[in-house]
Amino acid sequence: MKQPEIDYLAVFQALPGAVALLTPELFFADVNEEWLRVVDRSRERVIGHYMPDDYADTPNHPNAVVARNIGESLRRVARTGRTETMELQRFDPTDTVVRPRTVEARFWSITNIPVPDAEGRVAMLLHRVADVTELIRARAVALSLQEAMLPAPRAIGHHPVAVRYRPAVRALEVGGDWYDLVDLPGDRLGVAVGDVVGHGLFAATVMGQLRSALSAASRSCGGPARALEILELYADSVVGAENTTVASALIDWSTHQITYSSAGHLPPALLRSDGSVEFLDRATDPPLGARLVQGPWSQATVPFTERSFLVLYTDGLIERRDEDIDTGLARLAASLTRHRGAGAETLADAVLVDLLPSTGLADDTALVIVPL
């Protein structure tokens, strides 16, 4: 069968997204119609134009920073021959060079790709721009909703609690992580963290339902195990709640004991006054909806002394794709021990600095530290 002739110019124009083709010296060789639409320029103003000339006459303009970032990325790709996806770039359209259709800032996701010649040298640079403004706006709305459904950090009774919540920055969707603090009679505190499977507004709404249900159950039941039992019954009626993980603990200062139970969640850490760390893992059952045999949840109790800390967290704090979970737990324990003399707020900040990657989170992270 004769192979059909391929019209590569037509293929280039049909590529998804806004695409430009540049020389390694950063002169525009071609652009597709979507690229012209996104940047609102005519073809005559683009082809043969030297990209670094953008904003050369206005170096202090906010968009000049974007132009420099793009130029630096393209030069690296030309030099190394490796594809590079840039961090999101904010573009201010109130400008005389790029004539916007609106007055609102836009957010661009940019990928620069080397195009080699027959000998493997970089002959051209493919510059792809995706306008992700609406996704950013949707994520901001979801984050606001998620924050509204979480309790405001505050002192519970006589006990200040340090709370940190960090959304993922690599993804454009929120996650389903949550925490809860319940003031109970008799100088007791209920504390929990949980993680709904998935991301986005749907996961956030499921999170809100489960957090509220567990908060109510913790106020009316006889301990964490019973509260999780009731939560699982409720979760059966909530679409998207299956395989949610939860760690729940009851701190009693009158007896100096912590009673805890877990539904497939990472174990809480008890930082003792001598700097040793114990992971509370003696009462762990499968995630919600994953138990093969129904019945009472397991529950365990551990004593504590003054100047200790109870630490609950979600997987974004310690899990990395290329590491065993024990490596992340060991890293957390080492950080807690290293900063054991600090107060709860300082300790929380120090743990985040030690454990969160500098390149940004791939998953949401919740962290609760209770001074004992």
Side-chain angles (χ1 to χ4, degrees):
M1 179 178 177
K2 184 179 179 181
Q3 294 293 326
E5 292 187 4
I6 300 175
D7 186 344
Y8 285 99
L9 288 177
V11 171
F12 179 76
Q13 289 296 328
L15 288 174
V19 182
L21 195 63
L22 295 97
T23 69
E25 295 76 29
L26 307 191
F27 286 90
F28 284 97
D30 201 359
V31 294
N32 67 359
E33 292 301 319
E34 179 64 11
W35 196 90
L36 294 174
R37 186 193 69 80
V38 168
V39 302
D40 198 16
R41 294 186 185 181
S42 66
R43 181 174 294 275
E44 291 73 23
R45 290 188 59 195
V46 174
I47 303 304
H49 174 77
Y50 181 51
M51 177 179 275
D53 281 346
D54 290 349
Y55 306 101
D57 297 331
T58 55
N60 295 323
H61 193 285
N63 291 345
V65 176
V66 178
R68 286 195 294 270
N69 292 343
I70 293 173
E72 291 171 1
S73 174
L74 285 166
R75 291 188 184 93
R76 281 193 299 271
V77 173
R79 185 175 64 254
T80 66
R82 294 195 294 269
T83 296
E84 185 169 305
T85 299
M86 299 178 61
E87 296 290 334
L88 290 182
Q89 301 292 312
R90 177 191 169 99
F91 191 86
D92 183 355
T94 56
D95 177 273
T96 59
V97 177
V98 178
R99 300 185 304 277
R101 294 182 175 84
T102 70
V103 295
E104 297 179 344
R106 312 298 297 177
F107 293 89
W108 289 355
S109 174
I110 299 173
T111 304
N112 297 317
I113 306 168
V115 180
D117 60 16
E119 297 180 359
R121 295 172 298 193
V122 176
M124 303 295 290
L125 298 168
L126 199 64
H127 172 65
R128 183 178 182 275
V129 176
D131 188 335
V132 296
T133 306
E134 297 307 318
L135 290 175
I136 293 295
R137 290 173 181 162
R139 183 173 189 263
V141 171
L143 277 172
S144 297
L145 174 63
Q146 188 176 35
E147 291 174 359
M149 290 189 292
L150 295 174
R154 66 191 192 283
I156 305 295
H158 303 292
H159 307 286
V161 178
V163 174
R164 300 290 185 271
Y165 182 84
R166 297 290 184 269
V169 298
R170 295 179 181 173
L172 293 178
E173 295 185 316
V174 297
D177 292 20
W178 91 82
Y179 63 87
D180 194 35
L181 304 169
V182 179
D183 190 13
L184 298 171
D187 201 19
R188 297 181 302 157
L189 171 69
V191 56
V193 295
D195 188 357
V196 173
V197 174
H199 292 84
L201 193 57
F202 178 73
T205 56
V206 173
M207 173 272 288
Q209 295 178 75
L210 295 181
R211 189 199 69 80
S212 297
L214 181 59
S215 186
S218 297
R219 285 174 166 86
S220 58
C221 299
R226 178 57 177 161
L228 288 182
E229 184 179 346
I230 292 176
L231 179 64
E232 185 174 52
L233 292 174
Y234 173 76
D236 288 341
S237 65
V238 178
V239 176
E242 60 275 4
N243 293 315
T244 292
T245 65
V246 186
S248 179
L250 172 63
I251 306 168
D252 190 334
W253 275 273
S254 64
T255 63
H256 282 78
Q257 289 185 324
I258 300 170
T259 302
Y260 65 93
S261 185
S262 174
H265 201 82
L266 293 164
L270 177 59
L271 172 62
R272 299 192 182 277
S273 57
D274 63 359
S276 62
V277 175
E278 177 183 354
F279 286 104
L280 308 185
D281 57 4
R282 294 187 289 113
T284 300
D285 283 301
L288 298 182
R291 296 194 302 168
L292 298 178
V293 179
Q294 300 302 308
W297 287 75
S298 58
Q299 182 170 286
T301 299
V302 60
F304 67 85
T305 58
E306 293 183 359
R307 297 189 301 278
S308 298
F309 293 89
L310 179 64
V311 182
L312 293 90
Y313 52 94
T314 56
D315 56 6
L317 184 68
I318 67 165
E319 288 189 354
R320 304 293 178 264
R321 292 181 179 179
D322 57 347
E323 290 182 349
D324 184 89
I325 189 65
D326 290 337
T327 301
L329 291 173
R331 185 164 49 239
L332 172 60
S335 177
L336 292 172
T337 298
R338 183 161 52 250
H339 304 290
R340 63 184 180 274
E345 296 290 339
T346 302
L347 180 60
D349 290 335
V351 167
L352 292 184
V353 170
D354 285 350
L355 271 66
L356 297 188
S358 59
T359 53
L361 287 170
D363 195 6
D364 290 14
T365 294
L367 172 67
V368 180
I369 298 183
V370 184
L372 304 173

